[in-house]
Amino acid sequence: MDMSDMFQVFRKELDWAGRKLILETGKIARQADGAVLATYGGTTVLATVVFEKKPKPGLDFFPLTVNYQEKAFAAGKIPGGFFKREGRPSEKEVLTSRLIDRPIRPLFHENYKNETLVVITTLAHDMENDPDIVSMVATSAALTISGVPFMGPIGAARVGYLDGKYVINPTLEQTAKSDLDLVVAGTQEGVLMVESQAKELSEDVMLTGVMEGHRSFQPVIEAIIQLAEHAAKEPMPLTEPPEAAKTVADRLKAEMRAKMAEAYTETQKLARQAKVGAVKTEAKALFEGDEAALAVFGEQFGNLEAEVVRGAILDTGKRIDGRDTKTVRPIVAEVGVLPRAHGSSLFTRGETQALVVATLGTGQDEQIIDALEGEYRESFMMHYNMPPYAVGEVRRMGSPGRREIGHGKLAWRALRPLLPGKDKFPYTIRIVSEITESNGSSSMASVCGGSLSLMDAGVPMDRSVAGIAMGLIKEGDRFAVLSDILGDEDHLGDMDFKVAGTEKGITALQMDIKITSITEEIMKVALGQAKDGRLHILGEMAKGLGGARDSVSQNAPRITQFTIPKDKIREVIGTGGKVIREITETTGTKIDIEDDGTIKVAAVDAKQGQAAIDWIKGIVAEPEVGVIYNGKVVKTVEFGAFVNFLGARDGLVHISELAPRRVAKVTDVIKEGDQVKVKVLGVDDRGKVRLSMKAVDQQTGEDISNKPREDAAPAPVAGE
């Protein structure tokens, strides 16, 4: 059978940023509603879309699930671990799932509430092109041809900044050297999502990077449209919102708007939630017994809520909690709040509070990450947790979800550019942020608290890092940019815009936009306002702690780093690790040895640390001619004595060098086990060391080889 009979394949190719992008549909996964195989360079992903043909009744949210998954075979590997198959999603998979979800979610038609599943699988990875950008493009194409009411397509690109120039879709190697790693996604009209980390870059450099990225993926959007012209399914007919929706909306507006506005004059969060709850109960009672009305009530009540809050901000410039648009809530920054922790802080901003703790460990505490690109070790970890009590809720607690992982990574990106290199500060660092209260950006509170806890632990950071969350409300030509948004403003606003950085520049920028009409001008205003807010927060943090402490905490291990010659590594480790085990067990220290001869000795007790260092240095030291050492007699022979004087090194004191007088018999002067002082006379070409005792005053350890002898008669040499 001819292949063309079996498959009806459509493909689109284009050159994009110096590599070929291929989009293909019709051959793989034909039972999905939409499936696109995308290849960029040598990286290939398969994106699939499946949706229920009927909406779930009574839902006031859109049930979309995005799952990105990496297969080990994509890099020609077999998974590690006991089961040898892919297990729970890795952090990279969770973050990429979020990255794809964020720009597509706002583009589904508002009346579409059908359950929708997007699955993206990495099938090949060329170690140059990160699958995340390819996955976003493939997802956009699969949605565009699937028949769902998706108002795309979107494009996406990665932007690097090397030697003052922007690079579109840098390779993994270029990204590692870049001052910027920025991912931007959007439509033809505008930007929808930005995710980035940067080495303290200015607002202008960041914004230009965003716009460069947006320009670069326009040809990709064009290619997806052309693919869709040939391959798209018929768009599904959209159900009009039920008639009840308008009736309910009108009645709520007429009878409950004033009460809603009144409830929102309460500035304290829990009291306000109680008042809004009471209004909701009263409003719901208006439609008792009307099934059709109750089915749409939740959504319409939410719409009224949004209208009241948004209108008040645009009309009066006053916000839910009484602030104007630019003011940051009161901040209290405290450090050293936990006695045993290496570094800790309690950062409170209005009704958001984070208890953030830094712990310093050794190389043995590094996280081993088994990525498609290869295994690597991570020495900085940032973990974020938000228990239900933080928002006064009762609900089941589970393991960290996607949100926790995403917020932790955002804070990690914000702090990482300020951490000293391993050569300067050889510790493994873990930060844990426990959100103890939340009303508006706990991820940015984690950045502020994280920076304070690192400095409290004595991590030598040059500058503090702070973060702020910005919001936007836009109706027609009017817009308001809000500094330090509340939780309510977050879900009622059109944009969530988080900026972290130092007084010098931005280290992380995360942006999610729910409408497509955000202009470059609005982003510029938001970035400027965020900078003022950030500088204000940095000032408040400085009241708690102005800079890093002079040394690491008393409770933390002290790490001393030095190097030994590579050819001596074997001697320090010993057969089967015998020597190194003996050193660590005897001194109670942790010792890391790297292939280049770098040794790190970690000890909480300074004396034990020094003992281990001296022990290792003794093993690797080379005897120096003319230097006096303390030694121990290990064996006496007729013509002299063997003395162990440096690590495991022995040398021979010839009978003529035992004493300033003639010695008839070695044992007249010394016996095995004696502690003696010896001077190195020389080392022969076979590495044998000649030592002298008579050149050293055995009491004081002073070199007396040049002093005139008491009896000038030459001593006959025995045993030659």
Side-chain angles (χ1 to χ4, degrees), residues 383-387 389-390 397-400 403-404 407-408 430 432-436 442 446:
H383 297 145
Y384 166 106
N385 302 301
M386 186 167 131
Y389 66 74
M397 288 176 71
S399 55
R403 181 180 170 277
E404 278 84 356
H407 281 3
R430 177 182 184 236
V432 179
S433 176
E434 289 291 327
I435 303 304
T436 48
S442 51
S446 303

Side-chain angles (χ1 to χ4, degrees), residues 487-522:
D488 291 337
E489 291 171 336
D490 184 7
H491 69 255
L492 300 175
D494 299 316
M495 168 173 85
D496 179 13
F497 192 99
K498 292 173 181 163
V499 191
T502 64
E503 58 190 24
K504 216 177 118 184
I506 292 174
T507 55
L509 169 65
Q510 186 185 76
M511 198 154 80
D512 286 301
I513 297 165
K514 300 165 198 170
I515 53 176
T516 52
S517 49
I518 297 268
T519 59
E520 188 173 353
E521 187 48 40
I522 293 175

Side-chain angles (χ1 to χ4, degrees), residues 161-395:
Y161 191 62
L162 280 141
D163 309 322
K165 288 194 182 67
Y166 293 102
V167 183
I168 300 297
N169 295 342
T171 61
L172 292 176
E173 199 179 322
Q174 285 174 312
T175 302
K177 296 186 198 135
S178 172
D179 287 338
L180 172 69
D181 180 4
L182 180 143
V183 173
V184 55
T187 58
Q188 286 171 322
E189 287 85 56
V191 174
L192 283 170
M193 188 224 36
V194 175
E195 181 68 75
S196 62
Q197 66 172 321
K199 293 187 179 144
E200 296 182 284
L201 298 177
S202 75
E203 280 68 12
D204 280 352
V205 170
M206 296 298 283
L207 186 53
T208 309
V210 171
M211 300 322 291
E212 288 279 330
H214 182 255
R215 252 194 309 282
S216 78
F217 59 63
Q218 295 309 317
V220 177
I221 292 180
E222 197 42 56
I224 294 173
I225 292 170
Q226 288 170 15
L227 182 76
E229 280 167 2
H230 298 294
K233 302 238 168 73
E234 273 304 302
M236 64 166 286
L238 262 180
T239 48
E240 276 305 305
E243 221 134 284
K246 186 166 178 355
T247 323
V248 170
D250 292 344
R251 190 163 176 201
L252 284 175
K253 203 175 282 191
E255 298 186 36
M256 303 307 293
R257 195 177 198 285
K259 288 182 174 170
M260 180 79 90
E262 166 58 33
Y264 266 104
T265 57
E266 169 60 62
T267 56
Q268 208 266 331
K269 179 186 166 185
L270 294 177
R272 181 173 62 246
Q273 283 180 341
K275 285 188 175 176
V276 173
V279 174
K280 189 168 189 175
T281 310
E282 193 184 331
K284 204 166 188 175
L286 298 175
F287 306 102
E288 194 140 359
D290 182 344
E291 284 305 314
L294 289 173
V296 295
F297 172 78
E299 190 168 358
Q300 297 311 319
F301 185 82
N303 291 347
L304 177 66
E305 213 177 338
E307 191 190 310
V308 167
V309 173
R310 294 165 64 95
I313 292 170
L314 288 171
D315 294 339
T316 66
K318 280 265 179 287
R319 293 156 66 180
I320 306 172
D321 60 357
R323 278 183 295 157
D324 64 18
T325 56
K326 293 195 165 104
T327 304
V328 175
R329 287 169 289 173
I331 287 170
V332 179
E334 302 164 69
V335 293
V337 291
L338 300 180
R340 289 296 303 245
H342 300 162
S344 61
S345 73
L346 184 69
F347 179 85
T348 312
R349 184 191 64 234
E351 298 166 314
T352 295
Q353 184 181 67
L355 174 66
V356 192
V357 188
T359 311
L360 304 179
T362 67
Q364 294 169 25
D365 298 312
E366 286 180 338
Q367 185 182 11
I368 299 169
I369 294 174
D370 187 15
L372 277 191
E373 296 82 12
E375 192 178 275
Y376 66 94
R377 303 176 84 90
E378 183 52 69
S379 58
F380 172 45
M381 292 158 270
M382 170 96 207
H383 297 145
Y384 166 106
N385 302 301
M386 186 167 131
Y389 66 74
V391 286
E393 282 182 9
V394 181
R395 63 168 187 264

Side-chain angles (χ1 to χ4, degrees), residues 3-226:
M3 237 169 69
S4 60
D5 297 342
M6 183 86 178
F7 304 115
Q8 195 184 2
V9 178
F10 299 99
R11 59 186 273 145
K12 187 78 198 123
E13 279 189 29
L14 75 154
D15 282 313
W16 182 34
R19 274 141 289 173
K20 193 175 246 97
L21 173 68
I22 302 166
L23 302 173
E24 184 182 288
T25 184
K27 187 169 179 183
I28 296 182
R30 292 169 300 159
Q31 293 180 42
D33 291 309
V36 171
L37 191 70
T39 300
Y40 188 51
T43 295
T44 300
V45 305
L46 173 67
T48 61
V49 177
V50 185
F51 63 97
E52 290 289 358
K53 303 310 174 272
K54 284 199 193 67
K56 258 197 162 158
L59 276 190
D60 55 358
F61 68 96
F62 167 39
L64 167 71
T65 307
V66 176
N67 277 326
Y68 165 82
Q69 47 181 13
E70 290 184 337
K71 300 293 175 186
F73 62 67
K77 291 160 91 173
I78 290 174
F82 192 70
F83 292 107
K84 296 290 169 211
R85 70 178 293 166
E86 290 80 5
R88 54 182 284 191
S90 67
E91 185 180 82
K92 164 84 194 273
E93 288 169 318
V94 169
L95 293 168
T96 306
S97 298
R98 276 174 65 91
L99 201 62
I100 298 165
D101 183 309
R102 284 162 43 200
I104 63 175
R105 190 174 282 274
L107 293 179
F108 287 87
H109 194 283
E110 61 178 338
N111 294 346
Y112 175 72
K113 295 277 188 287
N114 305 23
E115 206 156 334
T116 305
L117 173 67
V118 176
V119 178
I120 308 98
T121 312
T122 295
L123 302 178
H125 189 347
D126 63 2
M127 303 299 152
E128 276 191 5
N129 297 292
D130 194 311
D132 57 4
I133 296 293
V134 198
S135 298
M136 291 166 94
V137 169
T139 301
S140 169
L143 284 167
T144 305
I145 65 170
S146 67
V148 292
F150 174 67
M151 310 299 144
I154 63 160
R158 176 174 262 102
V159 183
Y161 191 62
L162 280 141
D163 309 322
K165 288 194 182 67
Y166 293 102
V167 183
I168 300 297
N169 295 342
T171 61
L172 292 176
E173 199 179 322
Q174 285 174 312
T175 302
K177 296 186 198 135
S178 172
D179 287 338
L180 172 69
D181 180 4
L182 180 143
V183 173
V184 55
T187 58
Q188 286 171 322
E189 287 85 56
V191 174
L192 283 170
M193 188 224 36
V194 175
E195 181 68 75
S196 62
Q197 66 172 321
K199 293 187 179 144
E200 296 182 284
L201 298 177
S202 75
E203 280 68 12
D204 280 352
V205 170
M206 296 298 283
L207 186 53
T208 309
V210 171
M211 300 322 291
E212 288 279 330
H214 182 255
R215 252 194 309 282
S216 78
F217 59 63
Q218 295 309 317
V220 177
I221 292 180
E222 197 42 56
I224 294 173
I225 292 170
Q226 288 170 15

